[in-house]
Amino acid sequence: MTLYPLQFQPLFNYRLWGGEKLKTELGKDYSDNNIGESWEISDVDANETKVLEGDLKGFSLKQLIKQFKGEFLGQSVYDTFGDAFPLLIKFIDANTPLSVQVHPNNDVAKTRHNSFGKNEMWFVMQAEKNAELIIGFEEKITPSQLETHLKNNTILNVLHKEQVTKGDAFYIPTGRIHAIGGGVMLAEIQQTSNITYRVYDYNRVDKTTGQKRDLHIEQAKEVLDFEVYKTYKTNYTKTPNSSNKLIHSPYFKSNFLKVEGVLEKDYSKLDSFVIYMCVDGDVELTWNDKIYSLKKGETLLLPASIKNISLSSTSSELLEVYL
């Protein structure tokens, strides 16, 4: 068997804050209510996505890595991560706000959870009028003041809120307090981790359990970055048919790629797999004389062994992701 451009069967996850946009806006096929997350490419234990079509249909990421190693991941990526796929790729629909939360870094996550840390980024695909995100603190507080605000239900008063529109992008390093607000649909790129420390959850009860969700205040205090920063949003250019630098971190690199007409891509100098997330429009990818169609809300992975492809679209927007 040989490698080819791969699409995976998404996993749809119930969330008490989930809505219907993954179905109505992105055309996802599911019947459950309150689906908040579509896990597009996942190597999280018990939540592993499988190849959708072709000779490798049904293969998980671990099976692909075991069989193809550096040919699939890129040799440098394989040398670093071995059989573990380093990224988790999602689309998220927040009908109501997510919990206010924070993620641990690699060292803490490894020690406590035998997991990667969770550095992540958001790319806003759609936002209702006045929809906002919470990201970072608006004013400097201490851990004891944090506890007082939580006890008094005033924590939202000291958090930085940012109204968002389509195309806004944010990097959320580990330690940064954050929450997606209601009315926001976005693409999320993160390390492979499912570790979240909830700080505040609006005293909500989950209708599926009849219980409030657990909070993790003590763990959160140990990893929170209490600094206040001048800006949280990432500025970037949108030059057509060019890989515009979006967010480059030690954990992943992302570019904004607007395709108009035909674009030839050459990855011969890149020792990594490449993931395309289509965040608007639709595009055709040609490799070895075969056409792969990608529309808004779909994701495709190019194994590292594929170096030359062609993209064609009247107008589409992609996130280009690699290590």
Side-chain angles (χ1 to χ4, degrees):
M1 286 185 286
T2 58
L3 287 165
Y4 52 91
L6 300 168
Q7 287 186 273
F8 294 80
Q9 176 63 53
L11 299 174
F12 304 117
N13 291 290
Y14 162 84
R15 298 290 184 262
L16 65 82
W17 41 260
E20 295 294 320
K21 288 180 185 173
L22 298 179
K23 182 188 295 183
T24 60
E25 299 282 335
L26 302 187
K28 299 296 183 183
D29 184 15
Y30 56 83
S31 56
D32 294 335
N33 296 320
N34 298 100
I35 297 298
E37 300 189 357
S38 175
W39 289 22
E40 298 286 303
I41 301 178
S42 169
D43 190 37
V44 173
D45 288 344
N47 290 275
E48 299 173 357
T49 51
K50 306 290 180 65
V51 175
L52 193 57
E53 296 177 325
D55 293 342
L56 297 170
K57 181 178 180 179
F59 272 58
S60 68
L61 289 161
K62 279 190 171 60
Q63 290 171 318
L64 291 167
I65 295 168
K66 185 175 182 180
Q67 177 143 346
F68 297 103
K69 300 181 171 62
E71 190 182 350
F72 176 66
L73 287 179
Q75 192 57 48
S76 62
V77 179
Y78 182 72
D79 291 344
T80 301
F81 294 100
D83 291 341
F85 192 76
L87 298 183
L88 172 56
I89 305 297
K90 303 176 181 177
F91 292 112
I92 295 177
D93 168 30
N95 184 50
T96 56
L98 275 68
S99 64
V100 177
Q101 57 190 246
V102 66
H103 305 307
N105 63 27
N106 279 345
D107 291 340
V108 172
K110 179 66 175 175
T111 301
R112 290 183 182 172
H113 311 286
N114 193 31
S115 169
F116 292 123
K118 193 175 176 184
N119 291 271
E120 63 187 18
M121 68 162 279
W122 294 332
F123 183 91
V124 177
M125 296 172 65
Q126 189 266 343
E128 305 294 339
K129 185 178 180 181
N130 298 324
E132 61 186 18
L133 304 174
I134 289 171
I135 182 164
F137 287 98
E138 186 68 22
E139 62 184 67
K140 190 74 176 288
I141 64 169
T142 64
S144 62
Q145 288 174 318
L146 174 74
E147 286 202 16
T148 300
H149 279 296
L150 291 171
K151 192 176 299 182
N152 295 335
N153 284 317
T154 55
I155 184 62
L156 299 179
N157 296 344
V158 296
L159 300 178
H160 176 73
K161 302 172 189 68
E162 188 136 3
Q163 287 194 6
V164 292
T165 58
K166 179 179 181 290
D168 286 348
F170 299 85
Y171 181 51
I172 301 97
T174 56
R176 182 164 294 172
I177 199 163
H178 63 277
I180 303 171
V184 178
M185 182 177 69
L186 54 77
E188 180 175 274
I189 299 158
Q190 60 160 92
Q191 290 176 274
T192 296
S193 170
N194 201 25
I195 308 301
T196 293
Y197 296 159
R198 287 192 206 97
V199 177
Y200 180 71
D201 199 28
Y202 305 89
N203 295 308
R204 291 181 292 196
V205 172
D206 189 333
K207 65 183 180 183
T208 64
T209 64
Q211 306 289 324
K212 293 180 181 179
R213 298 191 297 176
D214 292 337
L215 300 178
H216 316 94
I217 309 301
E218 292 305 314
Q219 298 99 313
K221 284 196 305 182
E222 293 177 29
V223 302
L224 270 169
D225 176 6
F226 286 93
E227 288 298 317
V228 176
Y229 296 90
K230 288 183 179 179
T231 184
Y232 294 96
K233 188 161 72 170
T234 298
N235 293 316
Y236 63 100
T237 58
K238 297 184 178 182
T239 306
N241 297 329
S242 178
S243 292
N244 299 275
K245 180 180 177 181
L246 188 53
I247 290 166
H248 286 198
S249 78
Y251 310 99
F252 54 80
K253 295 177 174 62
S254 63
N255 299 321
F256 177 81
L257 186 57
K258 185 176 181 66
V259 182
E260 294 181 349
V262 177
L263 174 62
E264 305 293 335
K265 294 292 293 183
D266 180 355
Y267 293 110
S268 58
K269 294 182 180 179
L270 182 66
D271 187 22
S272 170
F273 61 88
V274 176
I275 293 170
Y276 287 133
M277 302 183 77
C278 187
V279 293
D280 201 12
D282 53 77
V283 63
E284 290 186 339
L285 182 150
T286 303
W287 175 76
N288 267 12
D289 296 324
K290 185 171 180 181
I291 295 174
Y292 300 82
S293 297
L294 201 61
K295 68 178 191 295
K296 181 180 177 181
E298 292 186 336
T299 304
L300 180 143
L301 185 149
L302 289 179
S305 59
I306 295 177
K307 298 302 184 185
N308 296 95
I309 58 121
S310 175
L311 298 171
S312 176
S313 175
T314 53
S315 181
S316 63
E317 297 178 359
L318 305 174
L319 301 184
E320 178 186 42
V321 185
Y322 52 90
L323 263 61

